[in-house]
Amino acid sequence: MIETSKINIKAADKLLKLPKYIFAELDEWKEEARKKGIDLIDLGIGNPDGATPAPVVEAALKSIQDPKSHGYPSFRGKIEFRQAIADWMKRRYNVTIDPYTEIQTLIGEKEGLANVAMAFTNPGDINIVPDPYYPVLSRGTWIASGEVFHVKLKKENNFLPDLNEIPEEIAKKAKIFFINYPNNPTAAIAPMEFLERVVDFCRKYSILLISDMAYGEVVFDNYRPISIFEVEGAKDVAIEFHSFSKTFNMAGWRAGFAVGKKEFIDIIYAMKSNIDYGTSTLVQDAAIKALTMPYEYVQKIMDEYDERRELIAQNMTELGWDVYRTPATMYFWLKIPKGYTSKEWCKMVLEKTGVVFTPGIAFGDMSDDHFRFSIVQSEARLKEAFRRMREAGIKFS
């Protein structure tokens, strides 16, 4: 018999080489604090704190009682769901999408973004990802054994990637260009002029453009988000991803979708059909109701977020921060005081106050001088967080 000590089974190199997932480390910090009896106010997560709208829950309850919902769901997504998506895209963005050939439903948008990287990336391929970035935008490429070229997002450029900073040799080799507007974590928005430039860039170099619109409906001040397909010629090179998590308070339901021309959607379909099934039928039925119910349900969520935004902006300004405000997302992207890394400062604040922020390093190596402040806590908890920060002398200096 072989001795146990001689057995050596390891994960694939591509997994072992991944940078440490900071959100996992953040969970460890929070667990340590809880063991010490610290009352945490978590302003680091992007998890909506409100309930899913009642009509959506009722639709799921009705669906789960139907035996037809208990079998395997379709890989592509039921046509009723895809038709509801197409109607919603037309209503919200005035974009025409074929529900039969140009939509792939997803088990949450994150899954789709990882799968699209694996479906289009060969080992050694280069994908372009702005920094800061939602982690899966780079990690999907690394898991596919591809390489990532990061473009720094700068405040002086309104946190839009400067296409001139992408070397010609990188552009010629690039396979995918990921963009995310409204942006997580910076909250930046992309004007039509930028979207036109990035579509032209991708067309010039035959690069697949992935537009992550997870926060496309988390908007304020009458701002209207822009679908990439409102740009002429975008359908030749782009796929757009949408999520139900933020718009409808459905983070735990795991529902999303990708839209694009048939050739691209068929590739995502081929990837997914080889490794998983489709979205649960009862979740699809709930999502159909979300897309078709009166918009007032979404507006109620956004109105509450807007009140919190005002409270946060006012208090953080009083504490010395230069608050970068935009009419979208559930985040503030703020500078770390001098003398700290983002992890050092966020951990210090957690230990002194029980208030949790996400260190900027979680979103890329170029973002260690910022932290992300999420608005997904009640007004009362936000006021308590600011009381603790003032009492502990936490301010920008």
Side-chain angles (χ1 to χ4, degrees):
M1 180 179 291
I2 298 174
E3 295 181 16
T4 301
S5 61
K6 294 183 178 181
I7 298 174
N8 186 20
I9 302 172
K10 296 182 179 180
D13 288 345
K14 61 186 177 183
L15 190 61
L16 294 173
K17 290 178 181 177
L18 285 177
K20 184 170 183 179
Y21 200 58
I22 302 298
F23 288 97
E25 186 173 356
L26 197 57
D27 282 344
E28 294 170 6
W29 294 358
K30 290 187 280 189
E31 184 60 29
E32 290 175 7
R34 290 189 185 100
K35 287 179 180 178
K36 296 176 182 177
I38 298 174
D39 172 35
L40 297 182
I41 302 176
D42 197 341
L43 304 175
I45 57 174
N47 187 19
D49 62 315
T52 303
V56 178
V57 176
E58 291 163 5
L61 290 172
K62 182 179 179 181
S63 179
I64 202 170
Q65 294 172 12
D66 184 350
K68 294 179 181 178
S69 300
H70 301 173
Y72 286 121
S74 69
F75 288 109
R76 187 80 80 177
K78 60 194 292 186
I79 188 57
E80 295 87 352
F81 185 22
R82 286 180 280 141
Q83 185 63 61
I85 291 168
D87 292 343
W88 184 82
M89 289 291 296
K90 183 67 176 179
R91 189 167 61 250
R92 296 298 296 165
Y93 300 100
N94 196 29
V95 168
T96 299
I97 301 295
D98 186 336
Y100 289 92
T101 63
E102 296 184 332
I103 297 173
Q104 174 61 54
T105 61
L106 305 169
I107 309 172
E109 189 188 344
K110 182 179 180 181
E111 166 261 302
L113 291 167
N115 271 324
V116 79
M118 291 188 286
F120 285 89
T121 306
N122 292 312
D125 280 347
I126 296 175
N127 294 335
I128 301 170
V129 179
D131 182 329
Y133 55 86
Y134 179 50
V136 75
L137 299 185
S138 287
R139 289 170 182 264
T141 297
W142 290 326
I143 291 171
S145 298
E147 300 176 9
V148 177
F149 179 82
H150 287 123
V151 183
K152 184 171 179 57
L153 300 181
K154 304 172 184 176
K155 184 178 180 181
E156 55 266 31
N157 199 40
N158 296 317
F159 295 110
L160 298 168
D162 185 345
L163 302 183
N164 294 322
E165 291 187 355
I166 301 172
E168 181 84 4
E169 61 269 24
I170 295 294
K172 288 180 177 179
K173 294 178 181 179
K175 193 71 173 290
I176 302 175
F177 193 150
F178 289 93
I179 61 171
N180 164 219
Y181 293 98
N183 184 261
N184 172 23
T186 71
I189 58 175
M192 178 61 81
E193 296 77 20
F194 167 76
L195 296 177
E196 289 172 342
R197 288 199 304 274
V198 78
V199 166
D200 287 345
F201 181 88
C202 290
R203 288 175 63 90
K204 176 180 178 181
Y205 294 104
S206 295
I207 301 171
L208 176 64
L209 178 61
I210 300 299
S211 176
D212 170 11
M213 284 276 283
Y215 297 87
E217 297 298 306
V218 186
V219 293
F220 317 98
D221 304 330
N222 296 314
Y223 171 67
R224 190 189 75 82
I226 302 172
S227 166
I228 198 65
F229 298 120
E230 295 179 64
V231 179
E232 184 177 356
K235 214 169 210 183
D236 293 333
V237 294
I239 308 173
E240 187 167 273
F241 286 78
H242 289 264
S243 170
F244 287 77
S245 296
K246 319 301 183 187
T247 305
F248 303 107
N249 281 353
M250 293 178 68
W253 296 72
R254 309 315 304 139
F257 59 89
V259 293
K261 71 176 182 178
K262 180 180 184 301
E263 291 84 350
F264 295 157
I265 294 301
D266 283 348
I267 292 171
I268 300 175
Y269 171 77
M271 184 74 190
K272 282 181 57 62
S273 60
N274 275 287
I275 62 174
D276 65 37
Y277 269 90
T279 306
S280 162
T281 300
L282 69 94
V283 171
Q284 291 188 60
D285 289 338
I288 290 170
K289 175 56 70 172
L291 293 171
T292 56
M293 68 185 180
Y295 194 76
E296 285 76 11
Y297 285 95
V298 175
Q299 191 60 56
K300 182 179 179 182
I301 297 169
M302 300 311 147
D303 287 346
E304 185 171 0
Y305 283 164
D306 199 18
E307 292 176 1
R308 297 176 186 181
R309 287 172 70 242
E310 293 298 325
L311 176 65
I312 293 167
Q314 177 184 336
N315 279 271
M316 291 305 280
T317 299
E318 291 173 358
L319 289 172
W321 269 271
D322 179 13
V323 178
Y324 179 79
R325 294 190 62 196
T326 76
T329 83
M330 52 178 61
Y331 306 118
F332 287 88
W333 185 239
L334 301 170
K335 291 281 288 185
I336 293 288
K338 291 181 180 179
Y340 295 91
T341 67
S342 60
K343 284 173 62 175
E344 289 170 347
W345 187 80
C346 289
K347 191 166 188 180
M348 179 272 292
V349 173
L350 170 60
E351 291 172 346
K352 284 189 173 183
T353 68
V355 177
V356 182
F357 297 122
T358 301
I361 194 68
F363 304 100
D365 291 341
M366 300 179 187
S367 300
D368 201 22
D369 57 348
H370 279 75
F371 69 99
R372 190 185 74 176
F373 188 137
S374 175
I375 67 176
V376 289
Q377 289 287 348
S378 69
E379 184 175 321
R381 293 295 277 172
L382 288 171
K383 288 180 177 178
E384 171 62 15
F386 288 121
R387 185 195 67 78
R388 295 183 192 179
M389 289 172 68
R390 286 188 171 89
E391 192 172 89
I394 304 298
K395 59 184 179 179
F396 187 79
S397 57

